[in-house]
Amino acid sequence: MKTTVLLTRHGETESSRADLYYGRTQSPVTARGMEQQVLLSRRLSHLPIAAIYSSPLDRCVHAATMIGEFHNIVPAVVEGLVEINHGLWEGLTRQEVEAHFEGSYLAWQSDPAANAPEGGESGYEVASRVLPIINGLARSHIGQTIVIMAHNTVNRIALCHFLNLPLSEYRRRIVQSPAAINELVFSGNTVRAVCINNVAHWDSTASDQTP
């Protein structure tokens, strides 16, 4: 039997709009981000969702709760789905990181899977905690559809893995827009990516379409 995992991202936040590194930092959702989350929750409202899992950060819990209201489901918070830790880069702009951490920034740009910001996580470290969770949740819901509400980097790394791309390419090859949907179908040892970075629901007329 197949399990459908809808791997989603929260809406735009104040920090993402300002283009800051803010992985573990709490950041309020903007008015635009709220609208994106409303459209996302409506888009998923017609599906037979069995469970919803969320990163512990407020922006994800709020988005997951909005989805859950259509299904009478309270999202389960999973600590391991939290966003990448940017360490000393948290709250800084790209220009500030380049100015103050030039060496590590260049190494991270070259291979973000193997390298990490000072005091932060590498892509491989994120993968080591996130992938077992996603695989485990899929195995726990055979024949069902579940939602996982996570983050830009978490989703990009997971998608890179399931698409059999080198993890070092997650920043160059994978895009995650705010409130995006990624549909992954698990069947035995096979994972099929049905759609990636789907934001058709930003058009409010798309709410009755499948992901």
Side-chain angles (χ1 to χ4, degrees):
M1 296 182 70
K2 298 177 181 179
T3 301
T4 298
V5 174
L6 301 175
L7 181 64
T8 59
R9 186 190 176 195
H10 59 82
E12 178 192 74
T13 66
E14 292 181 0
S15 294
S16 64
R17 184 172 59 186
D19 197 24
L20 303 179
Y21 292 99
Y22 73 110
R24 298 288 179 88
T25 305
Q26 299 283 14
S27 182
V29 176
T30 64
R32 181 185 179 193
M34 181 66 68
E35 181 182 4
Q36 291 165 343
Q37 291 179 180
V38 168
L39 294 172
L40 171 62
S41 61
R42 290 177 182 170
R43 180 74 182 275
L44 302 181
S45 64
H46 69 289
L47 297 178
I49 293 172
I52 303 172
Y53 299 93
S54 174
S55 156
L57 295 180
D58 290 349
R59 54 191 182 267
C60 280
V61 173
H62 186 264
T65 299
M66 292 175 69
I67 296 170
E69 288 174 351
F70 282 96
H71 304 275
N72 294 317
I73 295 174
V74 176
V77 171
V78 180
E79 295 293 330
L81 293 173
V82 69
E83 179 63 303
I84 188 173
N85 182 358
H86 281 129
L88 297 180
W89 298 6
E90 293 272 335
L92 302 181
T93 65
R94 191 179 311 275
Q95 292 75 22
E96 289 170 331
V97 170
E98 287 182 290
H100 297 290
F101 304 96
E102 181 180 8
S104 60
Y105 179 75
L106 290 175
W108 183 75
Q109 283 281 79
S110 175
D111 186 351
N115 296 287
E118 285 84 349
E121 289 180 293
S122 69
Y124 286 127
E125 289 173 319
V126 174
S128 70
R129 62 177 169 80
V130 169
L131 295 176
I133 292 172
I134 296 176
N135 285 317
L137 292 176
R139 287 193 297 269
S140 298
H141 292 279
I142 294 174
Q144 298 178 319
T145 296
I146 65 171
V147 172
I148 295 177
M149 178 60 69
H151 300 273
N152 184 24
T153 298
V154 166
N155 291 2
R156 291 159 90 182
I157 287 173
L159 291 167
C160 224
H161 169 77
F162 291 123
L163 292 170
N164 289 319
L165 295 173
L167 207 60
S168 59
E169 294 293 305
Y170 80 82
R171 296 187 70 251
R172 287 183 282 265
R173 304 278 297 274
I174 305 293
V175 173
Q176 283 293 275
S177 300
I181 301 170
N182 308 280
E183 183 177 357
L184 302 172
V185 176
F186 290 70
S187 181
N189 294 323
T190 301
V191 180
R192 183 163 57 98
V194 176
C195 68
I196 296 174
N197 200 44
N198 188 334
V199 291
H201 45 286
W202 285 7
D203 172 3
S204 59
T205 62
S207 62
D208 59 349
Q209 299 175 11
T210 56

